[in-house]
Amino acid sequence: MSPEKQVSQELSQLKQAVEFAIQEAKQLGADESEVSISKQTGICVATRDQEVETLEFNHDGALGIAVYTANCKGSASTSDLSPEAIKNAVKAAYDISKFTSADKAAGIADKELLATDIPDLDLFHPHPLEPDRFIELAKKCEGLALANPKIKASDGANINSHYGVKVFGNSHGFVGGYPTSRHSISCMLIAGEKDMQRDYAYSVARDFSDLDSIEEIAAQATSKTLGRLGSRKISTCEVPVVFDQEVAGSLFGHLIGAISGGNLYRRSSFLLDSLGKKLFPSWLSIYEDPFVKKGLSSTPFDSEGVAPKAKHIIADGVLESYLLTTYAGRKLGMQSTGHAGGIHNWLVKNSGVNRTELLKQMGTGLLVTEMMGQGVNTVTGDYSRGAAGYWVENGEIAFPVHEITVASTLPEMFANVVAIADDFDKESAIQTGSILISSMKIAGS
Amino acid sequence: MSFEKVSQSLLVPGGIGEQELTMALTEVAKHQIDYADLYFQHSRHESWVLEDGIVKEGSYNIEQGVGVRAISGEQTGFAYSDVINQSALIQTCQAARGISAKAGSAKVKPFSRVSAEQFYQSDNPLVSLSNQQKIALLERADKYARSLDSSVTQVIVSLSGVYEEVLVAASDGTLAADIRPLIRFNCSVLVERNERRERGSAGGGGRSNYSYFLEDVNGRERAMGFVDEAVRQALVNLEAVDAPAGLMPVVLGAGWPGVLLHEAVGHGLEGDFNRKGSSAFSGCMGEKVASSLCTVVDDGTMGNRRGSVSIDDEGTPGQYNVLIEKGVLKGYMQDKHNAQLMNTHSTGNGRRESYAHLPLPRMTNTYMLSGESEPEELIASVKRGIYAPNFGGGQVDITSGKFVFSASEAYLIEDGKITAPIKGATLIGSGPEAMQQVSMVGNDLALDQGVGVCGKEGQSVPVGVGQPSLKLDELTVGGTA
């Protein structure tokens, strides 16, 4: 069966299953219920040193249900999607709701916020699952990298190709579903003898033909890995720092944590009561567009069925919106912003400079290309993470560095963004170029 | 005997018996393969969460399926099904054997049941307390937390349990089953005072049932001890000053700071990385990789511990394995596949997240044995440095050996005395170098409370860590001051 035909059958089967579960919940006596189901089919191939290492066939399905009875919530999930198993899951959720406490904020999304049309966001581009072809591609990618004598070994190339369906429905009568696909290719290399280093390159896209070529991936992985050779520590100092675009998104990732409803209503964020406040320099804006065609974080409705909106999260440096689910919204006396399940394609405005110009603007300081560990306290905004990258002198890369930490506080880092380069990666959920921050503490030797 | 029980609930409903298991493995062996195994799993998981003084959420999750693996040389084919019956099993076997295109005639060995010592009970923890009792426990913890200090403004308490049955059948004749309970209690609090807010959290658990949390420990219910600890940590952090930055002596407390060993040496000693030569410890067998004060073991045999395995996920009995003895590298942790390729035996470390994941060499409970020093001596020996008794998570790059772990409770040491609490900071080092820096080892070995989750290649498994108090002469502390 073709993936198109398979998915169209699954879409109607899953819609029926959602309706069945909601009906079951109603019959048991639940006031409200919501159900999500997904099914995914795909393969993962991994090669190492140009030999196949693993070939995995994936076929996953899961159903999750939440029921509300007199504002008491119960939830359950099952990997078995047979009617019998679904019935049992609904019953389990209902039984749990008999033991939980009434919570005024609990319940499904407000009816008027639900998506009314399901735009086609061009997210479904299944690729025929051809293990032999993927294996050849992965081997070839490694071969291209291994042609460089300085590359000691390949630690593996991976190709993943998946497609599937997501369906969500609730007792307001909403049932929506759409198919998606996701493909990725990556290659990790090892160089060096005594002081080994490894690094990797990857590409991910909705459409296999939008992936970077294996030539590009091999070349990128090679230059990144060789660049790490001869890494050393630097002395403890306080200098300007550039977060390379590959790690720059993580800074906005911490912003996401701090303006998420769950952390706000629990008073566990350093950005309480920040709506309308200036967090970044005036030139900085972040636009969220849930409807980018083929976008990796595009969605016609969030995981509660709420229609997302295209809008500014940060405009002229000012926080314009929190990220709220239905529940968090009610706890804060606000409405859902359509962020159940996460953000949808953030486009961060750049300063119109390229990366070379950004490094020139920094002059002498640290370029961070890799980060390690967590080290971020969302309650206080304290920031301390492991890092590796390059020492930069007068705008030029001088030598690779590792085994250091970068530390500051997130409010200071946000306020001290000097410039953002135009080297963003359109494959990321957070599209930002490299970021220059005026000063951070580096701990080293 | 758990085998009969597991077989009754996992295989019998789908019409599968020993004969069908043999048929399935024979189906895989129609292609040229060296080894094949079937892994059946059924797990039930529940969790209850209290927040804002009420039990807001409860959930119940059921997961089941069978994973089929076919190995040919260094190559592995893998497929799985969330339906357990004869036809799904045969189809899954046919997909997995696709790793090898050639026809084969390998014999499937007759089954021999693995007899393994049980390191935990096989009761279902989910029914060990009534739902009312579970909720009462959460409510008790909430009240207790709020009674401890008026600055406690938010309390989140959770209780979760897993009841899991697994059964492994392999072409090498292995036939084994296990019942694995796992429980967890956690308390997280927010404290607010003078415009400052901080969080503290603590918890524990293991392969046991919920009555463990109700047991009396030093005159207090065990779960309430975790609540005390969460509030204490949050209050300490309210007073914390900026952490120092740079290279300095670091004293690590006993117990959970063993996450250092997990990151700095544990992952680097897993068989797969060493077979591939991608670990900073590759080719170091028999060499001195740590100071001679260090003896590190991985121990899957500890009673009721979170990381313990009566059998691993390939049916090999859990073992006590010495990894480093007096500083010398003695052993790697192996699963069957990597052991065979490295011409050695599985050490009972073949673990997987579920039937839908491939087994990998993984840690169980990893800890360092006690040394000779009194813990106070370690502190007294430091002129200027830090003392870190509690950590969040860590991470390692096994190739370069660089690792990090983040302190969640730490203090300055000045002139041999613990002084001000400092803010959480990341510590970074190189595994092989940091282990050589261990200059004092306390006599106070402790294991963590049973909260560890280890991630590798996208798979999470429960683990334990432990160590006595340790002094490292130099480690980079990532503060701001």
Side-chain angles (χ1 to χ4, degrees):
Chain A
M1 201 189 320
S2 72
E4 285 81 2
K5 198 166 170 209
Q6 177 194 346
V7 154
S8 115
Q9 277 183 10
E10 285 177 345
L11 194 56
S12 68
Q13 281 165 3
L14 297 189
K15 280 185 176 172
Q16 278 173 23
V18 163
E19 282 163 355
F20 171 70
I22 291 169
Q23 197 53 38
E24 280 290 312
K26 197 174 168 186
Q27 272 174 17
L28 286 171
D31 298 333
E32 292 187 323
S33 64
E34 55 191 341
V35 182
S36 59
I37 311 193
S38 62
K39 260 200 166 180
Q40 204 185 45
T41 304
I43 58 174
C44 306
V45 307
T47 61
R48 194 175 58 86
D49 275 338
Q50 303 186 77
E51 293 291 343
V52 187
E53 191 161 63
T54 59
L55 168 58
E56 286 190 42
F57 295 90
N58 304 133
H59 196 80
D60 298 291
L63 171 142
I65 177 160
V67 304
Y68 302 88
T69 312
N71 289 106
C72 301
K73 181 181 182 183
S75 49
S77 74
T78 171
S79 64
D80 179 353
L81 303 183
S82 67
E84 185 65 23
I86 293 176
K87 225 172 161 164
N88 289 339
V90 176
K91 178 78 165 57
Y94 179 75
D95 288 347
I96 287 169
S97 75
K98 293 284 156 210
F99 291 95
T100 54
S101 305
D103 182 350
K104 283 202 309 271
I108 62 174
D110 297 333
K111 196 168 184 178
E112 63 276 16
L113 297 181
L114 296 174
T116 46
D117 66 332
I118 314 288
D120 178 4
L121 300 176
D122 201 18
L123 307 178
F124 183 55
H125 295 272
H127 190 279
L129 301 178
E130 300 165 334
D132 293 342
R133 175 154 177 260
F134 290 164
I135 288 166
E136 279 318 303
L137 266 179
K139 281 185 186 174
K140 210 168 143 198
C141 184
E142 287 187 299
L144 290 165
L146 287 165
N148 187 319
K150 288 185 190 148
I151 295 295
K152 184 185 161 196
S154 162
D155 203 28
N158 288 271
I159 296 183
N160 296 335
S161 179
H162 291 87
Y163 59 84
V165 195
K166 285 183 195 175
V167 176
F168 174 84
N170 66 25
S171 52
H172 282 321
F174 178 91
V175 181
Y178 58 97
T180 63
S181 57
R182 196 179 175 95
H183 316 276
S184 67
I185 177 163
S186 67
C187 181
M188 184 177 282
L189 304 172
I190 294 178
E193 289 301 324
K194 200 163 173 298
D195 287 308
M196 284 195 297
Q197 294 284 352
R198 70 172 181 186
D199 213 329
Y200 69 101
Y202 75 97
S203 175
V204 50
R206 294 287 186 189
D207 187 339
F208 202 90
S209 62
D210 291 337
L211 290 175
D212 291 345
S213 69
I214 53 169
E215 286 79 10
E216 286 169 278
I217 288 169
Q220 208 193 355
T222 304
S223 87
K224 283 173 69 181
T225 306
L226 296 181
R228 308 283 338 130
L229 286 177
S231 286
R232 50 180 138 140
K233 289 181 85 160
I234 49 173
S235 301
T236 301
C237 58
E238 199 154 341
V239 289
V241 173
V242 167
F243 287 85
D244 185 81
Q245 64 87 10
E246 275 204 68
V247 294
S250 70
L251 299 185
F252 297 110
H254 304 313
L255 173 68
I256 291 170
I259 61 171
S260 288
N263 284 327
L264 293 169
Y265 85 74
R266 293 186 180 107
R267 299 182 56 76
S268 297
S269 162
F270 63 95
L271 291 179
L272 297 185
D273 308 315
S274 293
L275 216 49
K277 296 215 174 114
K278 194 153 174 281
L279 307 180
F280 290 93
S282 304
W283 56 267
L284 198 153
S285 295
I286 300 174
Y287 186 69
E288 181 176 67
D289 185 354
F291 309 113
V292 175
K293 291 280 156 85
K294 290 186 170 181
L296 284 173
S297 298
S298 295
T299 183
F301 52 83
D302 79 354
S303 60
E304 298 179 317
V306 173
K309 291 192 180 73
K311 62 175 172 226
H312 274 101
I313 302 294
I314 301 286
D316 305 325
V318 173
L319 180 64
E320 297 282 311
S321 176
Y322 288 148
L323 311 176
L324 305 177
T325 60
T326 297
Y327 183 80
R330 287 176 190 155
K331 291 292 282 185
L332 292 165
M334 302 168 88
Q335 279 194 326
S336 164
T337 56
H339 285 99
I343 61 145
H344 323 289
N345 307 310
W346 277 18
L347 317 172
V348 180
K349 194 172 166 184
N350 65 64
S351 324
V353 293
N354 63 33
R355 188 165 172 276
T356 310
E357 289 162 344
L358 190 78
L359 293 181
K360 283 258 171 340
Q361 199 174 344
M362 172 167 76
T364 295
L366 180 72
L367 166 63
V368 174
T369 56
E370 191 184 323
M371 310 219 68
M372 282 181 88
Q374 296 79 34
V376 176
N377 184 335
T378 304
V379 179
T380 59
D382 291 327
Y383 182 98
S384 163
R385 294 190 70 192
Y390 298 87
W391 185 250
V392 175
E393 273 172 22
N394 303 316
E396 304 283 338
I397 287 178
F399 55 84
V401 297
H402 66 181
E403 210 181 322
I404 54 168
T405 60
V406 290
S408 180
T409 70
L410 286 166
E412 282 180 50
M413 289 162 70
F414 291 165
N416 293 338
V417 174
V418 177
I420 297 180
D422 61 6
D423 57 341
F424 66 90
D425 178 358
K426 66 177 180 9
E427 287 173 352
S428 297
I430 301 172
Q431 294 175 19
T432 174
S434 301
I435 299 178
L436 169 58
I437 289 174
S438 58
S439 176
M440 290 185 75
K441 187 81 177 189
I442 314 300
S445 53
Chain B
M1 172 67 188
S2 66
F3 185 88
E4 304 304 337
K5 191 175 168 193
V6 173
S7 162
Q8 271 299 322
S9 72
L10 267 179
L11 304 183
V12 172
I16 298 170
E18 283 194 27
Q19 200 184 335
E20 285 72 24
L21 295 176
T22 306
M23 274 166 57
L25 289 166
T26 308
E27 189 67 25
V28 184
K30 283 181 183 163
H31 286 208
Q32 196 174 67
I33 54 119
D34 303 319
Y35 172 87
D37 63 11
L38 318 172
Y39 180 84
F40 298 86
Q41 183 193 20
H42 181 101
S43 76
R44 280 162 256 178
H45 168 264
E46 70 166 0
S47 79
W48 297 90
V49 183
L50 176 145
E51 190 184 329
D52 296 332
I54 56 172
V55 176
K56 277 186 187 178
E57 294 222 29
S59 67
Y60 186 73
N61 311 296
I62 303 171
E63 206 183 355
Q64 63 160 37
V66 54
V68 178
R69 175 170 64 145
I71 296 178
S72 172
E74 294 200 35
Q75 310 186 344
T76 302
F78 181 57
Y80 52 88
S81 164
D82 51 22
V83 178
I84 300 177
N85 63 33
Q86 292 180 21
S87 67
L89 182 59
I90 295 296
Q91 271 178 32
T92 310
C93 288
Q94 287 165 350
R97 75 184 182 197
I99 191 67
S100 165
K102 292 185 202 136
S105 57
K107 281 271 181 295
V108 174
K109 282 196 191 148
F111 289 128
S112 141
R113 286 202 199 159
V114 174
S115 69
E117 203 179 324
Q118 298 292 300
F119 303 119
Y120 31 84
Q121 302 233 309
S122 54
D123 310 344
N124 178 356
L126 276 54
V127 299
S128 60
L129 289 183
S130 69
N131 288 345
Q132 285 88 345
Q133 286 172 309
K134 294 170 198 168
I135 286 164
L137 169 64
L138 297 179
E139 289 175 343
R140 223 158 42 240
D142 176 61
K143 280 209 185 73
Y144 181 58
R146 291 173 194 278
S147 76
L148 285 172
D149 197 288
S150 59
S151 56
V152 173
T153 56
Q154 301 264 330
V155 181
I156 300 176
V157 200
S158 63
L159 180 71
S160 64
V162 184
Y163 176 73
E164 179 178 85
E165 298 177 335
V166 302
L167 188 147
V168 188
S171 62
D172 63 1
T174 302
L175 187 61
D178 195 18
I179 295 177
R180 297 171 181 160
L182 189 64
I183 53 160
R184 169 90 196 261
F185 173 92
N186 199 74
C187 176
S188 167
V189 301
L190 185 79
V191 295
E192 302 189 52
R193 191 193 291 156
N194 305 333
E195 304 287 302
R196 277 186 74 167
R197 280 174 293 129
E198 279 287 355
R199 239 182 206 298
S201 73
R207 296 204 180 279
S208 189
N209 68 49
Y210 292 140
S211 61
Y212 173 77
F213 297 126
L214 312 185
E215 285 168 11
D216 185 294
V217 182
N218 301 324
R220 193 182 43 187
E221 195 176 8
R222 188 186 308 272
M224 301 309 134
F226 297 131
V227 176
D228 273 321
E229 180 59 15
V231 173
R232 188 192 64 76
Q233 281 189 31
L235 292 174
V236 166
N237 283 328
L238 267 188
E239 307 295 325
V241 300
D242 289 345
L247 209 53
M248 62 192 75
V250 173
V251 176
L252 302 173
W256 179 242
V259 70
L260 164 85
L261 303 174
H262 180 98
E263 303 296 354
V265 293
H267 281 295
L269 300 182
E270 290 168 339
D272 47 350
F273 300 130
N274 289 285
R275 170 172 68 84
K276 298 172 188 175
S278 61
S279 163
F281 290 99
S282 298
C284 290
M285 192 62 80
E287 287 178 23
K288 194 138 182 300
V289 296
S291 93
S292 47
L293 298 171
C294 300
T295 294
V296 181
V297 303
D298 183 78
D299 184 359
T301 71
M302 304 181 85
N304 305 329
R305 283 278 168 195
R306 186 173 164 86
S308 297
V309 287
S310 294
I311 54 162
D312 72 2
D313 295 324
E314 298 179 309
T316 307
Q319 292 178 27
Y320 175 94
N321 296 299
V322 176
L323 306 177
I324 294 173
E325 189 173 20
K326 296 191 169 129
V328 176
L329 180 56
K330 289 286 177 182
Y332 294 133
M333 288 168 278
Q334 299 285 6
D335 62 354
K336 282 185 180 176
H337 180 43
N338 287 285
Q340 193 256 324
L341 293 170
M342 290 178 81
N343 217 1
T344 175
H345 298 288
S346 167
T347 54
N349 290 92
R351 304 185 66 194
R352 62 203 294 175
E353 180 178 308
S354 78
Y355 68 90
H357 299 86
L358 276 169
L360 296 169
R362 303 294 295 259
M363 285 173 259
T364 60
N365 303 298
T366 312
Y367 56 94
M368 183 187 288
L369 303 191
S370 267
E372 314 261 296
S373 305
E374 294 297 329
E376 305 78 55
E377 293 177 83
L378 276 60
I379 306 281
S381 72
V382 175
K383 185 151 173 51
R384 182 179 174 273
I386 70 162
Y387 168 60
N390 272 300
F391 284 86
Q395 191 185 334
V396 64
D397 172 337
I398 50 115
T399 302
S400 69
K402 301 294 174 271
F403 69 93
V404 294
F405 57 139
S406 301
S408 57
E409 179 189 359
Y411 303 83
L412 280 177
I413 306 176
E414 294 167 295
D415 295 323
K417 290 194 177 61
I418 290 174
T419 57
I422 53 175
K423 288 187 175 184
T426 289
L427 276 58
I428 189 163
S430 159
E433 286 165 27
M435 295 311 290
Q436 303 281 4
Q437 293 286 339
V438 174
S439 62
M440 292 175 90
V441 177
N443 56 11
D444 55 344
L445 168 64
L447 268 285
D448 75 290
Q449 295 290 344
V451 296
V453 178
C454 169
K456 176 177 172 182
E457 295 183 20
Q459 294 193 41
S460 295
V461 296
V463 294
V465 297
Q467 66 174 35
S469 296
L470 292 186
K471 178 187 170 191
L472 282 80
D473 283 340
E474 276 191 344
L475 200 59
T476 298
V477 177
T480 53

